[in-house]
Structure formats: structure tokens, C-alpha cells
Amino acid sequence: MNSFVVHRTLASRVLARTRHAAPRHARALRTKFPTLGSVPLHSVARVTSLTAFVGLTAMVVTPREFPFKESEEQSTNKDTQHKFPVTLRNNSESLTLIGSAVRAVTMFNFYTYTLGLYLADSQLRALRAEYGAIASAENAATALSTLSSAVTGASSPAGSVVALLRIVPYRRANPPHLLGSLSRATCQRVKEMHGDEQSRDWCAQLSASLPGVKDIEPGQVIDIELLADGTARVYFKQQLTAELSRDSRAVSVLLQLFTGPKPRTAAVHQALVEGLRSALAK
């Protein structure tokens, strides 16, 4: 059950009440979305139960592979040795790796995952036109902080990809723990900035966006694709696992956790600032 906890106590009550009804909903969901065929029936049932009784907006899961081809050229993170393709391309879009950095538990310097940030080439061109070949880290940090506005549709064509976050665990990870930490940080920041909790549904979806996955092994890849219309898509091992309900505020704040003026981890932010300096200078 932990893989699908929105609120632990509430989830346990829901599942207790729907023990007999949930499998029927699960079979219907599996019929509609064949990609869930490998997901245990009880796991799908838990998602449908929570959707029906907690009132979550259903996550859209349709058969789809990761939409980008990875370049053979790679960049290796010096701390974890995780490798990131330098570019991601398809027929219409291209993304460039800005940098990678380690998220660690500060007190013990306990590595949790390596984050790679990719930006659409259209975003890089726009930043280069506005800021030029940035000389100072201060100006680069300012440029990096403007990215979050691109996922509100204010500066990008709706539906276009703005950025992609690639998360590579350093050690075995539990999906609700790994994605739940991002979810909680996002919701807390939204509440601080806007004074409400209207993004709680979106945050719950992010926490539960790897249904049926018990553990993420070291080196396995989670990709979070961020679109200009406020859509976020989650991929695991090159397969779409969730398309979250559209929420421009939440997607913008998620990006700000790494690129904004009050980053979640200073070391990650600094690495991305230096990476943007290098990218704009090319």
C-alpha cells in the first residue's frame, strides 16, 4: 500500500472499504490502458480506489514510449559517475543537457540521486538572445530563475516542451519516498507563495506516478517532462507512467525548486548555474 499513499491513514481506510469493489475498477482500467497489463491487479485497484473515494483527478496513462532519442555523446557526473546523454531529440524538438548535480542529505553527505536538467533549444535561444554569452554567475542565476515562467505558457507555445528533469537514484529508492519528497516540497512552496492548497491533487498524483513499481534500483531513470501548458509527464525506464493533471503553478514551482532564487539544494543550483553559463557561451 505504501506505493500509493496519499495520506497513510486515509488510504488505509479507503482500501478497507473497497476491498471487494476495487478489482472490478482495476480490470476496467487495465482494459482501457493495455500498458498496465504488467501491473499487479491489486496495485491498479489501489489507484482506482483512491481516485474514486478520495476525489483525485485521474492520471492519464496511455501507451507511449519516451519521445526522445538519446545522443551517443554523454556527460558523466563526477560524484556519482551517472551518465547523461548530452542531447535528447525527436523530429520536432531538441533538448540540451544544462548540467547534472547530486542531491544529498546534508548532515551525512548521503547521496540520494543525481539530477540532470535539460532545456529545450528554443529556451536556450531565447535566453541567449536576452542575456548573450553570460560572463557572471549572478546573471546566469537570474537567467536560470526565469525558466519557471516558461511553463505557464507566457513565453512558449502551448504544448511545447520547456524542460526535462532526469532523476537517477544513487541507491535503491522507494517511489513514494523519492517522488513524495519532491511532491511535499512543491506543495509547501506553492502554499508559501500563493497562500492556498489548490495544488494538493497534483502533488498527490506526482507521489503516485509510478504505479506498480515497488523499488527503483540504482541507476534506473525517471524522466519528468515539463510542457509550456503546465502539463507534466512522468516516464520510468523509457515508458510513460503518468500524465498529471494540468497545473501551471505546481509545474512552475517544481522547476523553481532547482532553478529559482530559493533553491531546494544550493549545490544543485550552483551546478546548474555554471552549466547554463557554459551552454549560453557556445
Side-chain angles (χ1 to χ4, degrees):
M1 182 176 69
N2 288 344
S3 295
F4 304 94
V5 169
V6 177
H7 295 293
R8 295 178 188 274
T9 303
L10 180 58
S12 64
R13 292 175 182 171
V14 168
L15 295 177
R17 291 171 55 192
T18 59
R19 183 172 297 173
H20 301 292
R24 175 168 51 83
H25 297 298
R27 282 190 290 271
L29 183 63
R30 187 179 281 174
T31 299
K32 187 174 182 181
F33 302 121
T35 52
L36 291 177
S38 61
V39 178
L41 187 64
H42 67 275
S43 298
V44 182
R46 287 168 181 167
V47 175
T48 57
S49 298
L50 287 174
T51 299
F53 288 90
V54 182
L56 297 180
T57 301
M59 293 182 292
V60 178
V61 184
T62 55
R64 179 174 174 179
E65 295 183 353
F66 187 61
F68 296 100
K69 182 178 180 180
E70 301 181 353
S71 65
E72 293 185 2
E73 183 182 2
Q74 296 183 323
S75 173
T76 302
N77 182 273
K78 61 182 178 61
D79 296 309
T80 61
Q81 300 304 303
H82 288 153
K83 297 182 183 297
F84 293 82
V86 172
T87 58
L88 303 173
R89 299 179 187 277
N90 59 27
N91 292 334
S92 59
E93 296 173 302
S94 178
L95 283 74
T96 298
L97 178 68
I98 297 303
S100 66
V102 179
R103 164 74 176 165
V105 177
T106 307
M107 184 179 297
F108 305 104
N109 199 30
F110 184 86
Y111 291 175
T112 54
Y113 60 80
T114 313
L115 174 85
L117 172 65
Y118 290 84
L119 288 186
D121 286 356
S122 58
Q123 294 298 316
L124 278 176
R125 287 193 296 271
L127 291 177
R128 193 176 288 119
E130 183 169 354
Y131 293 94
I134 297 174
S136 72
E138 196 173 312
N139 285 341
T142 300
L144 192 67
S145 69
T146 65
L147 293 174
S148 60
S149 65
V151 295
T152 64
S155 59
S156 303
S160 62
V161 178
V162 172
L164 182 140
L165 300 174
R166 174 161 288 192
I167 298 172
V168 186
Y170 185 71
R171 59 191 75 246
R172 180 178 293 179
N174 176 261
H177 177 74
L178 179 62
L179 294 176
S181 65
L182 283 178
S183 169
R184 289 188 296 274
T186 299
C187 261
Q188 181 61 33
R189 188 72 62 87
V190 169
K191 186 175 181 180
E192 291 172 359
M193 293 173 63
H194 301 284
D196 61 54
E197 297 183 354
Q198 293 183 15
S199 294
R200 288 183 64 185
D201 186 3
W202 186 95
C203 292
Q205 291 178 29
L206 177 60
S207 293
S209 60
L210 295 182
V213 180
K214 183 177 180 181
D215 290 304
I216 308 168
E217 299 297 329
Q220 290 184 327
V221 172
I222 302 168
D223 290 305
I224 305 177
E225 185 184 28
L226 307 178
L227 279 63
D229 60 4
T231 298
R233 298 184 182 124
V234 181
Y235 298 83
F236 179 61
K237 296 195 297 186
Q238 302 277 302
Q239 296 292 322
L240 178 69
T241 60
E243 181 170 314
L244 311 189
S245 59
R246 190 174 300 176
D247 189 331
S248 295
R249 292 197 316 180
V251 172
S252 175
V253 168
L254 174 63
L255 195 52
Q256 284 183 43
L257 293 178
F258 304 103
T259 65
K262 295 181 179 179
R264 191 173 183 220
T265 306
V268 172
H269 182 260
Q270 183 58 37
L272 297 181
V273 168
E274 291 303 318
L276 183 60
R277 289 179 68 187
S278 298
L280 293 180
K282 295 179 180 178

